[in-house]
């Protein structure tokens, strides 16, 4: 009743939903215990691994990250994960480079080209394939796909071997190379990236897409100028999700990649490599206390790496699609 | 006839808002609302969309605070006692101040009968005479004749208008002293609207009713007094005019009220 | 009535807007089929004449350029400038999509065809007592590992589901203050490499003197299952309209009753989906089990004591043997896991569909 602006505004009280009854207090308490458990769990993981890894970090110093030797029988023992660290990055990047165009094509095909029924079947299939355990992919990569990929590698060598360094290869055996590991990893992450990308495509405003086509822009121009720019943030987020998965991938790579402690920068079809995760599994069984500490240290490095990727991806997704979080 | 069926009966209550200011986060949406809702009276809150009347009605039973970032200042007196006082339980307030929402929201997993009794089940209250309570509540909401033969059907099998009256019956089963209705007829057809209005008239004998409505005729038909809310140029909303319905509609003091009730804007 | 019918049946739809252009249809069909046919003919004729033609090379440097050229020409002829771009986009999309679907289907097909050779009643029912890597497939099986997986996954599920639901309820129902932090952490946990989870349980339990058992394996699976369960159930709870919660609260219901009697029943199928997807996530998880459990050829019904085999470690062990028969057993194990995953997945789909 009083005109606005003249009344003195009293102090604002922030209202929150507070439990009042005992039963509600218990209910709220239990849920926040569960929520806090996730904090505790992450802290425990970081804390215990760090505690166990400390001796290794201390004895190895910075060369733990950069050196190329892993020898538990030497005195003093030498544990350096340089080649593995680089190998993880190389294999994950190769996997990404192969998977990204495939995943975007597949998502575009499902969302914008295929008939409804085919799209539905393909969507189900992609979601199911995203759930294939890595040991199954590992066995497939080792027993079925390996020989095929080795043949492809030999073709690359035959036809593109004139390119220096990258397609260099020695010996007759094309197995165990980063190229094959990258392919196997890409098969693992294609379904993940596809399903994220497809979801983003499906959430896009169809009117915008149709309007662009109605203006006579054509499919290709619409894809380049409307679809990709709108979806790019989400696609990058999905790609980083796949990259995180690729970095942590263990068993599938264990079966298809040779473990060699020598940094192999870009000789992708040469059978030298190894990743942090696959190294942990292959060394863990016979490790003594100090080697185990070094493996814990490798684990924590890997974890921190994936944490960074995940933080980056959620930042990008939040920037690109504010409606996905609230 | 009704009161005897209930174990504890609330008489209609006197409700009063004093100097109410409301915020969402940093944004103030209501400024200095002072209104009195005497017992057994129907008060209509009218005004254009976005003027804060729905927000205001939610402060009357402390539903406002469920929204994250909700801020509040002032007093809501229920029979002289501030419901925002420290130590007052929002759950107790809502037991006495019932609410019917804009969109019918029967519980989808329950039958018609279970929906009527939902309040008892949810609050752990006992009533020895469940069947009679179901019948009385449905009768008071003028829906008994339509559903008496299918009380165990799912609530979602009802039409929209019936669902809304079921939601009214659900509130009535808790025998509230005050009933808040937030545009209860906006999703209903004219026939159902008429039935709900009749229900409101009958209920006024037993409780205090506050109703938000966009429909001028409805406000004139059902209410004793009317408050006109307005928010201008992005300022917080407030009450421009408050008086008997007769006065607000026929001799408005403020020209803006005159424009609104005669359909010149909003 | 009859008259109208007769009339409708004689009426022909006229689509004045449709460009009926027989020449265009013909050219599009030719452009779509000809390069493929030529490639196949070239391959067989060439092979018959004694040349060695590599299908992969033919595909990349023969068929694909020919197909692109054909599409380009037809697109340009009938649709002008944007037609040729569109044609290239369509060819590339279909080519890459086909390639990736072939790869993915090859995984499924390999598991089914190779696994079927190992799968027989004894494979499901027997354990691997006295079985070595070269023993014939007629003897022994993965029964003990299946039991182990079922028990370990059941324990993980019993521990994880209340936690996951609790987190989801915290995020959606209680308006808790730490929601942003919790969401971020759950996101971070979903990126936890499985081998690190194994290292964690090893360092916190095994190094402190616990013997590796089925239970330590279960615990190592927990951090991997938790993010899936809490994320999917949060989504399920969020699908329950706010109106329903408000309806319950406006009746004077305490929050926990509103959750238990209104929100939970409405979200039940979505929550079931969350559990099923969570189980599917961990049922084939191998790396953490390799670190935290020890393999056993015999059946162990006590997950809290002694070595216990599980399907992933069963497969892992036999593949590492590298004998043909042991790899066969690995395929058999993979098929069992894929059947489990498939069943869980279909279950989740059905549960999700019922809701809509």
């Amino acid at each position: 009743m009083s005109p606005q602006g003249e009344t003195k505004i009293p102090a604002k009280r922030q209202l929150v939903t507070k439990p009042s009854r005992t039963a509600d207090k218990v209910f709220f308490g239990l849920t926040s215990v569960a929520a806090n458990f996730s904090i505790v769990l992450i802290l425990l993981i970081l804390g215990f691994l760090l505690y166990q890894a400390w001796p290794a970090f201390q004895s190895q110093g910075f060369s733990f990250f950069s050196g190329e030797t892993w020898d538990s029988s030497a005195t003093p023992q030498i544990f350096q994960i340089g080649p593995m660290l680089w190998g993880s990055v190389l294999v994950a990047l190769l996997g990404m480079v192969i998977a990204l165009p495939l995943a975007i094509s597949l998502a575009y095909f499902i969302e914008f080209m295929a008939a409804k029924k085919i799209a539905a079947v393909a969507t189900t299939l992609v979601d199911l394939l995203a759930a294939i355990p890595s040991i199954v992919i590992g066995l497939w990569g080792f027993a079925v796909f390996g020989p095929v990929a080795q043949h492809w590698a030999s073709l690359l060598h035959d036809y593109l071997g004139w390119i220096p360094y990258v397609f260099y290869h020695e010996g007759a055996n094309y197995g165990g190379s980063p190229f094959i590991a990258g392919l196997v990893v890409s098969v693992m992450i294609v379904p993940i990236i596809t399903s994220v990308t497809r979801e983003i495509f499906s959430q896009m405003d169809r009117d915008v897409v149709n309007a662009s086509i109605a203006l006579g822009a054509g499919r290709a121009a619409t894809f380049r100028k409307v679809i990709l720019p709108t979806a790019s943030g989400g696609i990058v987020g999905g790609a980083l999700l796949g990259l995180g998965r690729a970095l942590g991938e263990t068993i599938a790579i264990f079966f298809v990649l040779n473990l060699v402690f020598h940094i192999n920068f870009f000789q992708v079809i040469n059978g030298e490599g190894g990743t942090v995760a696959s190294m942990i599994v292959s060394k863990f069984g016979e490790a003594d206390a100090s080697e185990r500490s070094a493996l814990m240290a490798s684990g924590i490095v890997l974890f921190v790496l994936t944490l960074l990727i995940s933080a980056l991806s959620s930042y990008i997704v939040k920037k690109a699609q504010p409606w996905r979080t609230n | 006839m009704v009161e005897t069926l209930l174990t504890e009966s609330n008489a209609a209550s006197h409700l009063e808002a004093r100097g109410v200011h409301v915020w969402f986060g940093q944004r103030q949406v209501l400024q200095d609302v002072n209104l009195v809702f005497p017992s057994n009276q129907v008060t209509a809150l009218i005004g254009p969309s976005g003027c804060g009347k729905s927000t205001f009605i939610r402060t009357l039973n402390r539903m406002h605070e469920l929204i994250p970032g909700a801020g509040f200042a002032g007093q809501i007196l229920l029979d002289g006692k501030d419901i925002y006082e420290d130590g007052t339980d929002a759950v107790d307030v809502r037991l006495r101040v019932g609410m019917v929402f804009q969109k019918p929201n029967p519980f989808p997993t329950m039958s018609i009968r279970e929906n009527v009794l939902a309040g008892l089940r949810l609050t752990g209250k006992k009533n020895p005479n469940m069947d009679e309570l179901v019948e009385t509540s449905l009768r008071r909401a003028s829906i008994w004749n339509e559903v008496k033969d299918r009380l165990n059907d799912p609530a979602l099998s009802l039409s929209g208008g019936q669902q809304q009256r079921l939601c009214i019956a659900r509130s009535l089963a808790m025998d509230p002293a005050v009933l808040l209705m937030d545009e209860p007829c906006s999703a209903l057809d004219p026939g159902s609207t008429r039935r709900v209005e009749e229900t409101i008239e009958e209920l006024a004998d037993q409780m205090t009713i506050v109703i938000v409505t966009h429909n001028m005729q409805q406000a004139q038909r059902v209410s004793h007094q009317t408050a006109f809310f307005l928010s201008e140029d992005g300022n917080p909303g407030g009450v421009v005019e408050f008086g008997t319905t007769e006065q607000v509609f026929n001799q408005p003091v403020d020209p803006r009220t005159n424009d609104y009730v005669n359909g010149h804007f909003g | 009535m009859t008259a109208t019918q007769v009339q409708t049946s004689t009426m022909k739809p006229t689509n004045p807007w449709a460009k009926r252009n027989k020449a265009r249809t013909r050219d599009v069909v030719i452009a779509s089929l000809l390069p493929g046919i030529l490639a196949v003919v070239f391959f067989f004729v060439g092979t018959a004449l004694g040349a060695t033609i590599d299908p992969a090379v033919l595909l990349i440097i023969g068929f694909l350029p020919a197909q692109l050229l054909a599409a380009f020409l037809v697109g340009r002829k009938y649709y002008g400038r944007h037609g040729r771009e569109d044609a290239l986009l369509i060819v590339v999309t279909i080519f890459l999509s086909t390639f990736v679907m072939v790869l993915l289907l090859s995984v499924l097909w390999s598991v089914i065809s190779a696994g079927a050779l190992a799968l027989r009643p004894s494979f499901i029912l027997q354990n691997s007592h006295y079985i070595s890597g070269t023993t014939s497939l007629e003897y022994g099986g993965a029964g003990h590992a299946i039991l182990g997986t079922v028990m370990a996954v059941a324990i993980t599920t019993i521990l994880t589901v209340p936690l996951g639901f609790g987190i989801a309820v915290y995020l959606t129902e209680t308006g808790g203050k730490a929601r942003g932090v919790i969401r971020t952490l759950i996101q971070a946990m979903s990126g936890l490499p499985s081998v690190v989870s194994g290292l964690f349980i090893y360092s916190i339990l095994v190094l402190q003197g616990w013997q590796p058992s089925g239970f330590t394996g279960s615990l190592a699976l927990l951090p991997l299952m938790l993010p899936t369960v809490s994320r999917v159930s949060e989504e399920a709870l969020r699908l329950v309209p706010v109106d329903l919660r408000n309806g319950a609260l406006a009746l004077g219901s305490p929050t926990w009753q509103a959750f238990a009697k209104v929100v939970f029943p409405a979200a039940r199928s979505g929550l079931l989906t969350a559990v099923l997807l969570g189980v599917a996530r961990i049922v084939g998880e191998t790396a953490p089990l390799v670190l935290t459990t020890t393999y056993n050829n015999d059946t162990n019904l006590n997950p809290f004591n002694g070595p216990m085999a599980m399907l992933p470690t069963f497969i892992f062990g036999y593949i590492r043997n590298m004998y043909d028969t042991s790899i066969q057993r690995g395929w058999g194990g993979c098929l069992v896991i894929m059947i489990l995953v498939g069943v869980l997945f279909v279950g989740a789909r059905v549960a999700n569909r019922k809701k809509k």
Side-chain angles (χ1 to χ4, degrees):
Chain A
M1 274 187 287
S2 42
Q4 286 148 15
E6 288 170 25
T7 348
K8 195 164 170 281
I9 299 171
K12 172 168 81 169
R13 285 167 58 190
Q14 210 62 46
L15 298 182
V16 284
T17 328
K18 259 189 278 178
S20 47
R21 312 270 160 126
T22 317
D24 256 2
K25 282 180 184 153
V26 172
F27 177 68
F28 277 58
L30 284 177
T31 61
S32 77
V33 164
N36 285 313
F37 176 81
S38 64
I39 303 178
V40 172
L41 186 58
I42 291 272
L43 290 180
L44 276 180
I45 293 175
L46 283 172
F48 258 85
L49 287 184
L50 201 58
Y51 169 67
Q52 300 290 349
W54 197 247
F57 280 134
Q58 231 171 7
S59 67
Q60 305 297 323
F62 185 76
S63 60
F64 177 76
F65 301 97
S66 54
E68 298 189 35
T69 313
W70 186 282
D71 193 343
S72 59
S73 50
T75 18
Q77 291 170 308
I78 305 171
F79 303 116
Q80 298 164 339
I81 60 165
M84 300 299 121
L85 211 48
W86 173 247
S88 286
V89 173
L90 178 65
V91 169
L93 283 180
L94 275 176
M96 274 281 305
V97 167
I98 299 166
L100 201 54
L102 293 176
I104 295 176
S105 293
L106 189 53
Y108 181 80
F109 176 76
I110 291 176
E111 223 25 70
F112 294 106
M113 280 171 70
K116 269 219 167 89
K117 276 205 176 133
I118 297 175
V121 171
T123 306
T124 312
L125 209 57
V126 166
D127 287 352
L128 174 66
L129 290 161
I132 294 185
S134 58
I135 186 146
V136 176
I137 302 276
L139 178 51
W140 172 81
F142 159 75
V144 179
F145 183 63
V148 178
Q150 285 177 33
H151 176 63
W152 292 354
S154 74
L155 289 176
L156 280 176
H157 181 66
D158 293 348
Y159 286 87
L160 299 173
W162 47 270
I163 300 174
Y165 192 79
V166 179
F167 295 108
Y168 168 85
H169 179 259
E170 56 186 317
N173 181 5
Y174 282 87
S177 67
F179 171 71
I180 294 177
L183 274 170
V184 168
V185 162
S186 76
V187 170
M188 294 215 66
I189 62 177
V190 157
I192 297 170
I193 305 177
T194 305
S195 81
V196 173
T197 310
R198 191 197 59 74
E199 208 191 310
I200 290 158
F201 283 168
S202 77
Q203 283 169 351
M204 269 179 60
D205 196 345
R206 278 306 156 94
D207 291 345
V208 176
V209 176
N210 290 338
S212 163
I213 290 173
L215 288 169
R219 263 179 194 282
T222 306
F223 179 68
R224 250 186 307 121
K225 298 200 176 123
V226 178
I227 298 177
L228 267 191
T230 317
S232 60
I235 296 174
V236 172
L240 286 175
L241 192 72
L243 187 66
R245 189 57 67 83
L247 276 175
E249 182 43 49
T250 313
I251 295 294
I253 293 179
F254 174 83
F255 284 123
V256 297
L257 184 58
N258 291 339
L259 197 68
V260 178
F261 272 87
H262 173 255
I263 292 193
N264 170 0
F265 281 105
F266 286 109
Q267 296 180 343
V268 289
I269 56 172
N270 206 9
E272 283 187 352
T275 68
V276 176
S278 66
M279 173 202 70
I280 294 172
V281 163
S282 59
K283 299 261 180 212
F284 200 81
E286 284 98 46
D288 63 9
S290 48
E291 187 171 4
R292 222 179 278 130
S293 168
L295 291 172
M296 298 279 177
S298 319
I300 208 163
V301 170
L302 186 63
F303 186 29
V304 170
L305 210 56
T306 56
L307 278 183
L308 290 178
I309 301 266
S310 133
L312 190 62
S313 101
S314 60
Y315 174 79
I316 289 175
V317 169
K318 203 176 283 178
K319 275 269 149 134
Q321 301 172 279
W323 65 85
R324 296 196 92 190
T325 48
N326 69 325
Chain B
M1 133 202 166
V2 173
E3 283 74 10
T4 50
L5 293 173
L6 297 162
T7 46
E8 44 177 317
S9 176
N10 293 322
S13 291
H14 177 91
L15 193 64
E16 192 177 342
R18 276 193 197 158
V20 169
H21 302 250
V22 176
W23 290 262
F24 286 124
Q26 293 305 310
R27 195 167 61 89
Q28 189 177 6
V29 292
L30 273 179
Q31 174 145 324
D32 198 30
V33 177
N34 294 280
L35 293 173
V36 180
F37 310 99
S39 47
N40 298 105
Q41 297 277 302
V42 179
T43 307
L45 310 181
I46 61 170
S49 306
C51 65
K53 53 196 192 308
S54 284
T55 305
F56 174 70
I57 203 172
R58 278 158 192 266
T59 63
L60 297 178
N61 67 343
R62 293 186 59 172
M63 292 295 284
H64 171 59
E65 68 202 50
L66 295 174
I67 296 160
F72 180 85
Q75 287 182 311
I76 302 287
L77 301 173
L78 181 61
D79 288 333
K81 198 169 170 305
D82 184 6
I83 63 170
Y84 282 94
E85 209 171 65
D86 283 342
T88 309
D89 186 351
V91 171
D92 287 332
V93 172
R94 293 179 200 138
L95 279 173
R96 294 182 60 197
V97 184
M99 185 162 194
V100 176
F101 295 82
Q102 189 172 355
K103 241 176 67 193
N105 58 352
F107 301 135
T109 51
M110 300 183 192
S111 69
I112 295 171
R113 186 189 138 87
E114 284 168 338
N115 258 283
V116 178
L117 297 174
L120 296 187
R121 256 186 84 205
L122 286 165
T123 56
K125 274 193 180 173
K126 292 276 183 296
N127 187 306
N129 236 333
M130 300 284 210
D131 288 336
E132 237 177 314
L133 178 67
V134 170
E135 181 175 344
T136 330
S137 306
L138 289 170
R139 272 189 197 286
R140 289 168 81 192
S142 328
I143 190 183
W144 169 251
N145 286 329
E146 291 158 62
V147 299
K148 64 184 175 195
D149 298 324
R150 47 175 181 142
L151 290 175
N152 290 320
D153 284 9
L156 290 184
S157 66
L158 297 173
S159 73
Q162 292 171 327
Q163 287 185 14
Q164 188 63 303
R165 277 176 283 145
L166 174 63
C167 292
I168 296 177
R170 186 174 71 186
S171 290
L172 296 179
M174 300 301 288
D175 195 28
V178 179
L179 186 60
L180 310 175
M181 304 178 107
D182 185 4
E183 298 188 40
C185 302
S186 68
L188 305 189
D189 59 278
S192 306
T193 302
R194 187 77 211 122
R195 317 266 323 247
V196 172
E197 288 178 7
E198 284 164 13
T199 307
I200 294 173
E201 272 168 49
E202 284 164 31
L203 291 175
D205 296 342
Q206 301 137 22
M207 57 192 68
T208 309
I209 295 177
V210 183
I211 176 171
V212 169
T213 178
H214 266 124
N215 182 332
M216 297 300 120
Q217 285 76 35
Q218 181 170 65
Q220 294 185 62
R221 280 196 297 265
V222 301
S223 70
H224 303 112
Q225 50 175 11
T226 298
F228 173 51
F229 280 69
L230 189 60
S231 145
E232 285 173 316
D233 307 330
N235 289 321
V239 176
V240 170
E241 186 146 355
F242 177 48
T244 64
T245 301
E246 168 71 23
Q247 181 199 326
V248 169
F249 278 89
N250 295 330
Q251 296 122 26
V253 179
D254 195 298
R256 292 171 295 179
T257 316
N258 189 35
D259 285 353
Y260 184 72
V261 298
N262 290 310
H264 294 309
F265 74 93
Chain C
M1 197 62 194
T2 351
T4 7
Q5 271 173 352
V6 169
Q7 207 183 3
T8 31
S9 68
T10 54
M11 222 150 64
K12 274 191 186 149
T14 56
N15 302 344
W17 56 86
K19 295 182 206 156
R20 269 168 300 167
N21 188 334
K22 278 190 187 145
R24 191 188 66 187
T25 316
R26 184 196 63 210
D27 286 357
V28 168
V29 170
I30 290 176
S32 317
L33 296 179
L34 193 60
I37 295 171
L38 280 182
V40 171
V41 169
F42 181 79
F43 179 75
F44 282 109
V45 171
T47 314
L49 292 177
T52 42
I53 301 171
D54 193 292
V57 174
L58 178 64
L59 197 66
I60 296 292
I61 65 174
F63 166 74
L64 189 58
Q67 179 68 73
L68 284 171
L69 182 68
F72 181 87
L73 291 175
V74 171
R76 190 181 62 175
K77 182 170 175 193
Y78 292 101
Y79 298 92
R81 209 180 67 82
H82 77 68
R84 55 187 201 210
E85 278 191 350
D86 287 9
L88 297 186
L89 175 82
I90 291 172
V91 170
V92 169
T93 304
I94 292 182
F95 184 78
L96 292 181
S97 299
T98 310
F99 175 71
V100 68
M101 284 315 274
V102 165
L103 279 185
L104 294 173
L105 289 174
S106 147
V107 177
L108 279 186
W109 176 244
S110 308
V111 174
I112 293 169
S113 59
L117 294 176
L119 209 59
R120 59 196 77 198
S122 63
F123 189 79
I124 306 288
L125 299 174
Q126 295 182 5
N127 63 26
S128 297
H129 195 74
Y130 293 132
I131 302 297
S132 79
T134 48
T135 314
S136 155
L137 283 170
E138 280 149 47
Y139 308 101
H144 62 310
I146 296 173
L147 277 177
T149 282
V150 168
M151 284 188 289
V153 167
I155 292 172
T156 313
T157 307
I158 290 167
L159 294 175
T160 309
V161 166
L163 283 169
F165 282 4
I167 293 170
V169 171
Y170 179 85
L171 292 175
T172 58
E173 309 295 316
T174 66
K177 273 186 223 129
R179 278 175 303 175
V181 178
I182 303 294
R183 249 190 222 118
T184 311
L185 282 178
I186 294 295
Q187 165 99 15
M189 213 187 289
S190 70
L192 178 74
S194 60
V195 68
V196 174
S197 179
L199 285 177
F200 165 62
I201 292 301
Y202 189 87
S203 69
I204 199 172
L205 292 181
V206 180
L207 282 181
Q208 314 304 320
W210 286 47
Q211 285 307 307
S213 64
F215 183 61
T216 49
S218 298
L219 290 179
L221 296 175
L222 189 148
L224 303 171
M225 183 177 183
L226 187 60
T228 307
V229 173
S230 62
R231 213 186 54 237
V232 180
S233 47
E234 186 198 341
E235 271 162 32
L237 290 177
R238 222 182 261 200
L239 283 178
V240 177
V242 182
D243 280 355
L244 286 187
R245 292 185 181 86
N246 286 348
L249 295 175
L251 289 169
S253 161
T255 312
W256 75 276
Q257 286 280 25
F259 174 74
K261 292 185 179 145
V262 174
V263 179
F264 183 80
R268 203 162 36 197
S269 53
L271 295 174
L272 179 63
T273 304
V275 175
L276 294 175
L277 290 181
V279 173
R281 168 79 179 81
I282 58 164
V283 74
E285 210 36 270
T286 312
L289 300 181
V290 170
L291 302 190
T292 57
T293 66
T294 30
Y295 186 67
N296 189 345
N297 269 327
D298 280 316
T299 313
N300 176 2
L301 291 175
N302 183 358
F304 297 97
N305 190 21
M308 190 167 97
M310 296 180 212
L311 271 173
T313 49
F314 171 90
I315 300 166
F316 185 74
Y318 276 110
I319 300 177
R320 284 188 96 177
N321 273 342
M322 299 282 174
Y323 297 110
D324 282 350
T325 45
S326 69
I327 288 179
Q328 279 285 321
R329 284 180 201 274
W331 280 116
C334 283
L335 181 56
V336 174
I337 284 195
M338 282 307 290
I339 291 172
L340 288 176
V341 170
V343 167
L344 290 164
F345 199 78
V346 170
R349 287 253 147 179
V350 170
N352 225 355
R353 192 163 305 151
K354 227 167 38 190
K355 185 175 54 194
K356 282 158 195 165

